Structure formats: C-alpha cells, structure tokens
Amino acid sequence: MNSEHYPILINGELVNTDKVIKVINPSTEEVFASCSKATEKHLDEAVKAAQKAQKIWGESDIAIRQKLLNEIAEKISENSENLARLLTLEQGKPLDFARGEIEFAVMFCKYFASQKLKNKSLKEDASSIVELHRKPLGVVAAIAPWNFPLLIAVYKTAPALLAGNALILKPAPTTPLSTCMFGQIIREIIPKGLVNILTDENELGPMITSHPGINKISFTGSTETGKKVAESGGPSLKRLTLELGGNDAAIVLEDAVPSKIAEDIFNSAMANTGQVCAAIKRLYVHHSVYEEMCSALKDQADKAIIGDGFKQGINFGPLQNKKQYEKVINLIKEAKEKGKVISGGEFSENPGFFIPITIIRDIEDGISLVDEEQFGPVLPIIKYSELEEVIEKANGSSYGLGGSVWGEDIDFATQIAKRLQAGSVWVNQHAAIGPDIPLSGAKESGIGVEWGEEGLNEFSQIQVVNVKK
Ligand code: NAD
C-alpha cells in the first residue's frame, strides 16, 4: 500500500493519469514519492460518478450511513501507522504528532457516526402539520490545505456522507499522499463513486468551485483563496463553508501568573510548527508581568528541539513548503529590525524548511509580523498598559478566528474574552477544539461553521413540509 506512486480515485477505481506530481519531504527537500495529477476531464468523470452514487446514498437510511462512518474509522485505525509515516514524510510533523493527527481523525469520524440530522416539528394545530426536514445537498467538494491534510480530509468527509452527500476531495498540492492513501484504504468499503479523490498543482480549484454539478464547497485554506472560492461559486449559488486564516490575539492580564501559563501559551503558539489556523499569533502582555512572561517563554523556546520528524525526541518539524518557509523568514527579518529576538531568529543553509522557534519581544502593532498571519514558529510579544487599548488592538484585525484571555480571576477574564471579535474565545487556554464543538470564523476568517450539530447541518438543505389537515 505504501508504494512510491499514488493514483487518484474516481468511481471506485484507482486511476493513473498521464501527468505526475512529485512530492517533496520538507525535512530533506528531496522528492520521495509521486501521485497522479487530475485534469478537467477527471473532474467531470468524478462529478458524474458522485452524482450517480449520491442518488442512492441520499435515499439510504441513517443507520447505514452511521455504519459506514464507523467502518471508515476502523479502516483508518487499522492503517494508522502507514498513514502516520506518510504524513510525516509529506507534511514534516514529528511522527508522534502524525499519530495524534490520525487519532484525531478517527475521533471526528466516530463522532459523526454517532450523530443524525434532526428533523423538527415546527407546529401542529387543528388545520396543519408543519415540519422541518434536512435533505442532502448533492455533490460536495472538499478542498483542503497542507497543515493537517488527513484530519481535514476526514472531518469534511464524515459529515458530508452522514448528511447523504457524495464527495470530491481535493488535497493541497504539496500534501496529496495521505489523502490518496485514505482513498485506497476506504475504497473497498464505500459504494463506487461516493468518495472521489483528485489531486492537482493548484489548477483544479477554480474548476471545482465553478463546476455546475457541484452543490457545495467546504473549503479550508487562506482568506485570499477563500475570497476567490466565494467569487467563483457565486454565479451558481453554491453552498459555501469557508474556514480561513486567522491572526489570533492572546491577552495576558495583570493578575496572570506567567510561570503557570507559559507552557500552554507556548504550545498554543507553536504546535505543528505554528501552522495551525487558530494558533496564538500575537501575544499582548500587561506591563506588570511582561518581563516574567518574556523570560518564561524564552525558556520554553530554548528547550524546543527541531528536526526531521522521524528522529527521536523532536518536538517540531519543518515548515511544510518552500513558499511558507520564505514567507516566515521574511516576516522574521523585518521584525528583527523593530523588536528584540530573545530566542531563535537565525537560519541555516542546510536542506529542509527548518526555522528555529523564534520569540520576538518589544514589538508593536503596525509591523507585518503582528498585523499579518505568520503561520509559522514565531511569536511577537507586545507590552500593554491599558485594557481598553489592548482590546481595541486585539479586535483591530480583519481576521476573527479565535482569541484568548489569561488571568487568575476567571470571571473577569471571561468578560474580557467575550468582547473579542472572534468565532471562538478561550480563557486560560487556546484552540481547545473537538468534533462536538462548532468552529466558525468571524470577519474575514470565514463563512459558516464546521463540526458539532451546526457544522453537520451545513451539509444539508432545509425542507419545510407543510401539510393542511
Ligand atoms: P491556500 O488557500 O493556498 O490553499 C488551500 C487549498 O485551496 C489548496 O488545496 C489549494 O490547492 C486550493 N486552491 C488554490 N487556489 C484555489 C482557487 N483559486 N480556488 C479553489 N481552491 C484553490 O491555503 P494553504 O496555503 O494551503 O493553507 C494555509 C492557510 O490555510 C492559512 O492561511 C491558514 O490559516 C488557513 N487554514 C485555516 C484553517 C481553518 O480551519 N480556519 C485550517 C487550516 C488552514
């Protein structure tokens, strides 16, 4: 199964196409495997197959759908080691973290397997019975980024299938293989054409988002691309769920105890080498605890071990691809001139897209590292004195994915957290997520919801059944 070349999946068949995508290991910059590349013709074939499969699947009993999701979860578990190794090779994350991603994917799949779409009785009186039903949308296209390739593929597949839809999955060009392997392992248990997997080098996205046979796009990626998806899906009024970028602020209050919270803040900023949509990307610290907080975070960063994810004891892998690597280097170079580096900040010429865990203090809003989404292992720490001013700064971003407030007085911290303009706010933690908790971006961090009942509902169409007695 763990071959060097991975075909795409159309109508239950593994298809080798004329064109090949070479996949690079970001720890070595060497090509280690390849997959077939899909064209517009393959997209048309996949849409036709999905439409055919959906006609039957959409009529199936919820128990059959739940059973299939449980079987998919089982298959992922059985193949978890192969999937984790492939994930480390293509994404770069340390093997234990890749294993964690697979476990998380299983958890999401099992969660949706335990759910059902809820019909509602709206009214019943002497003259009528009114009910709200939830129907499938048809063919859903799921477009994923490269930070959690397998998890994102699975957490879009599971609710889409549960709601009675068929699917076209398109992974990111630099991390297609774990999704292709996912297709190989579920192929034998899913009806033909119900899940199709197409890979590309960034050309297929616009063809998918404008395809007349696709009814919904579930997209995770950058805000810039999300806007293109909305524009392209607009003319056919496709249903859209857009989970986009973020520039999450964390606010450390005057009464916080830095030694208690530094490790959690550090991990919330640096997990997956900072390549997490809802990572802490700007840290605002009250002046009274600023020195202590900077020094506690420096200690955390100095201990971090970065390297090839297959080596023992590695906490952080490389950036996933060259484009992101260069972007983060440029942000650090500019920030170094305006703030003070207290850990990391130097780059080597060795192969691999490695950036040391970098902490920059004494920096201000208005600098790209603070204002833009870095999506990498560098955290700016900004000193503040006035609470109202820092709330304004935290909210002064076009993004609104998440935010957190840290302090000993939990009620007070919660009051402040509720004032952040973000889809999720946390107190004394950040990015605490789960399949049963809806995730939604405010402002330019997205449209719609993923996960939980609200996320599941987005894969369905409401039908009101109004019967006169
Ligand atoms: P990206 O937007 O470049 O690519 C995402 C996907 O979109 C890829 O599969 C890509 O091939 C595809 N794509 C590219 N052009 C397209 C187009 N015109 N139409 C349709 N699809 C197109 O994002 P990325 O660089 O792969 O991922 C990093 C970004 O994703 C970060 O900004 C991060 O915050 C965001 N992200 C958000 C979440 C979330 O849940 N909010 C999760 C992970 C990543």
Side-chain angles (χ1 to χ4, degrees):
M1 172 139 346
N2 196 351
S3 65
E4 288 283 286
H5 182 81
Y6 292 80
I8 55 176
L9 178 67
I10 301 174
N11 199 23
E13 303 294 330
L14 297 173
V15 180
N16 282 307
T17 68
D18 300 344
K19 296 207 170 84
V20 160
I21 301 171
K22 291 178 178 164
V23 182
I24 285 174
N25 175 348
S27 290
T28 61
E29 295 182 51
E30 282 168 7
V31 174
F32 72 95
S34 61
C35 64
S36 282
K37 179 169 157 175
T39 60
E40 191 165 15
K41 171 179 123 357
H42 298 114
L43 173 62
D44 287 339
E45 287 171 12
V47 171
K48 268 201 196 112
Q51 284 174 324
K52 197 168 162 209
Q54 196 276 326
K55 282 208 176 93
I56 299 163
W57 185 248
E59 296 295 323
S60 64
D61 194 80
I62 189 74
I64 290 177
R65 300 182 204 165
Q66 291 171 324
K67 183 168 172 276
L68 182 68
L69 291 194
N70 277 321
E71 285 168 5
I72 292 175
E74 198 62 34
K75 282 274 170 202
I76 300 171
S77 291
E78 278 168 21
N79 292 277
S80 59
E81 194 56 23
N82 280 344
L83 281 165
R85 289 186 171 271
L86 190 58
L87 199 51
T88 293
L89 276 169
E90 71 173 351
Q91 206 284 335
K93 64 187 67 187
L95 188 55
D96 273 349
F97 291 81
R99 290 180 179 129
E101 179 170 339
I102 311 297
E103 270 172 36
F104 228 55
V106 170
M107 186 172 92
F108 271 79
C109 205
K110 283 190 176 159
Y111 165 78
F112 283 110
S114 72
Q115 300 299 301
K116 54 182 174 199
L117 291 127
K118 293 182 186 130
N119 294 336
K120 266 203 280 191
S121 165
L122 299 178
K123 156 170 136 174
E124 178 162 11
D125 56 23
S127 60
S128 65
I129 302 174
V130 189
E131 289 172 348
L132 183 151
H133 291 242
R134 291 202 168 265
K135 313 286 277 188
L137 288 166
V139 178
V140 171
I143 302 179
W146 39 258
N147 54 345
F148 292 97
L150 201 267
L151 173 63
I152 294 175
V154 173
Y155 77 54
K156 290 181 185 296
T157 300
L161 294 187
L162 188 80
N165 304 288
L167 199 75
I168 295 185
L169 268 177
K170 195 205 80 63
T174 53
T175 54
L177 302 184
S178 48
T179 306
C180 290
M181 189 186 265
F182 172 59
Q184 288 180 11
I185 61 188
I186 62 168
R187 184 171 84 100
E188 50 203 52
I189 56 165
I190 51 167
K192 272 185 171 206
L194 192 62
V195 177
N196 303 273
I197 295 175
L198 302 178
T199 55
D200 74 335
E201 287 178 306
N202 271 334
E203 328 66 3
L204 218 52
M207 297 177 209
I208 292 175
T209 54
S210 60
H211 199 292
I214 294 175
N215 307 92
K216 174 188 168 95
I217 309 289
S218 174
F219 173 85
T220 299
S222 61
T223 294
E224 192 188 348
T225 311
K227 289 180 183 175
K228 289 184 194 158
V229 171
E231 207 180 324
S232 161
S236 52
L237 292 181
K238 290 196 195 329
R239 299 322 184 240
L240 295 179
T241 303
L242 306 177
E243 290 295 338
L244 308 177
N247 192 13
D248 290 12
I251 299 175
V252 175
L253 299 173
E254 196 173 353
D255 68 345
V257 179
S259 59
K260 258 170 83 174
I261 58 176
E263 189 175 350
D264 283 350
I265 289 185
F266 179 78
N267 289 331
S268 305
M270 301 302 176
N272 208 35
T273 314
Q275 301 163 115
V276 176
C277 51
I280 295 179
K281 292 178 178 149
R282 309 172 272 159
L283 182 66
Y284 293 94
V285 181
H286 190 264
H287 69 85
S288 61
V289 287
Y290 189 75
E291 289 305 322
E292 212 187 320
M293 195 71 237
C294 288
S295 133
L297 285 170
K298 174 184 161 41
D299 290 347
Q300 292 289 328
D302 288 349
K303 283 194 287 192
I305 304 170
I306 297 152
D308 188 319
F310 282 106
K311 291 196 181 137
Q312 283 288 326
I314 294 295
N315 318 121
F316 299 97
L319 272 285
Q320 198 283 318
N321 56 72
K322 192 165 190 190
K323 190 173 149 216
Q324 190 63 24
Y325 171 72
E326 285 171 351
K327 178 183 161 186
V328 177
I329 285 187
N330 286 334
L331 286 172
I332 294 177
K333 280 184 178 160
E334 185 204 336
K336 273 165 87 170
E337 288 169 19
K338 319 274 178 170
K340 186 173 164 205
V341 176
I342 53 171
S343 188
E346 299 299 330
F347 318 108
S348 96
E349 294 294 313
N350 295 333
F353 305 132
F354 293 105
I355 292 185
I357 301 293
T358 298
I359 310 277
I360 304 187
R361 58 172 282 176
D362 305 342
I363 190 163
E364 298 290 335
D365 281 66
I367 294 160
S368 306
L369 178 62
V370 181
D371 291 359
E372 292 175 20
E373 180 187 39
Q374 65 272 51
F375 220 63
V378 48
L379 180 68
I381 314 181
I382 307 120
K383 193 192 288 185
Y384 78 87
S385 300
E386 298 299 327
L387 196 50
E388 289 306 315
E389 208 177 294
V390 79
I391 294 168
E392 207 169 299
K393 281 183 178 171
N395 288 336
S397 168
S398 57
Y399 291 114
L401 193 57
S404 59
V405 180
W406 303 69
E408 287 289 291
D409 181 341
I410 292 178
D411 289 343
F412 183 68
T414 307
Q415 277 175 37
I416 304 301
K418 285 185 190 164
R419 292 178 62 193
L420 297 180
Q421 295 165 354
S424 302
V425 292
W426 296 279
V427 173
N428 291 329
Q429 56 179 352
H430 199 102
I433 57 162
D436 52 343
I437 303 174
L439 182 80
S440 161
K443 301 196 274 189
E444 292 195 4
S445 285
I447 293 178
V449 189
E450 294 215 274
W451 316 339
E453 187 181 336
E454 289 79 1
L456 175 59
N457 284 344
E458 295 221 351
F459 287 94
S460 70
Q461 166 68 47
I462 283 177
Q463 184 180 59
V464 171
V465 180
N466 194 332
V467 180
K468 186 174 169 190
K469 276 185 176 169

